[in-house]
Amino acid sequence: MDLSTYRLSSAWQFDSSPGPVLTVLTDVAGYPRWWPQVRTVRPTADDAGELVVRSLLPYRLVFTVHAARQDETAGVLEARMTGDLVGWSRWTVTAQPVGTRVLFEEEARLGKPLLRLLAVPARPVFLANHAAMMRGGERGLRAHLAAVAGY
């Protein structure tokens, strides 16, 4: 793994059962409705879409996600990424004694030449930016699930 490759994970816990969580995560085109850092999703094929994301830092990433695996029975959604991020991401949704655990994993290489140049000196800043994005996603999904459930 080169220094411009990031291996990231975030775990979220929700009171909701796995079904509604998986339904929302499967609808990638709907991410901008609940995830503030996902600015736009433009479908490019039946199983692909271009995402524009921006967190705290003043730059945006544009990349295409291509569905690689959608196993709703196992609670696993995987995608390949091309563009400003090159690699893969995976959601794993599992039932817990109370609620649902969501694990997001990603291995991505920076595709933008400028970001690759900054990969080592800016790594702590890039990691903090990603962490802020994931916190925004967790808060947004929590609020979205609460609104859908009607409480």
Side-chain angles (χ1 to χ4, degrees):
M1 195 162 64
D2 69 34
L3 295 175
S4 66
T5 298
Y6 289 75
R7 175 94 167 122
L8 306 161
S9 67
S10 295
W12 303 343
Q13 183 72 32
F14 298 100
D15 292 336
S16 174
S17 63
V21 175
L22 198 53
T23 297
V24 173
L25 293 177
T26 301
D27 178 21
V28 177
Y31 282 24
R33 288 193 294 271
W34 58 269
W35 198 335
Q37 294 80 10
V38 178
R39 304 303 172 98
T40 62
V41 176
R42 181 179 62 84
T44 57
D46 287 342
D47 65 345
E50 179 186 81
L51 279 73
V52 176
V53 301
R54 180 171 180 226
S55 191
L56 297 175
L57 295 176
Y59 68 85
R60 63 190 190 120
L61 296 174
V62 180
F63 56 97
T64 300
V65 293
H66 308 266
R69 178 180 176 202
Q70 186 170 331
D71 185 342
E72 293 181 31
T73 302
V76 177
L77 306 171
E78 292 179 357
R80 290 178 296 104
M81 299 179 296
T82 58
D84 291 344
L85 295 176
V86 179
W88 58 268
S89 64
R90 176 188 310 121
W91 293 107
T92 305
V93 178
T94 55
Q96 300 293 296
V98 176
T100 298
R101 180 176 190 261
V102 175
L103 176 64
F104 175 80
E105 299 171 282
E106 178 177 73
E107 184 174 298
R109 181 178 54 80
L110 299 170
K112 259 186 183 176
L114 175 61
L115 294 180
R116 279 198 311 274
L117 287 173
L118 297 172
V120 174
R123 189 173 190 86
V125 175
F126 290 169
L127 290 172
N129 192 60
H130 182 267
M133 179 170 175
M134 296 309 292
R135 282 191 305 275
E138 181 179 12
R139 280 192 303 270
L141 182 53
R142 189 173 310 286
H144 182 77
L145 290 168
V148 169
Y151 16 21

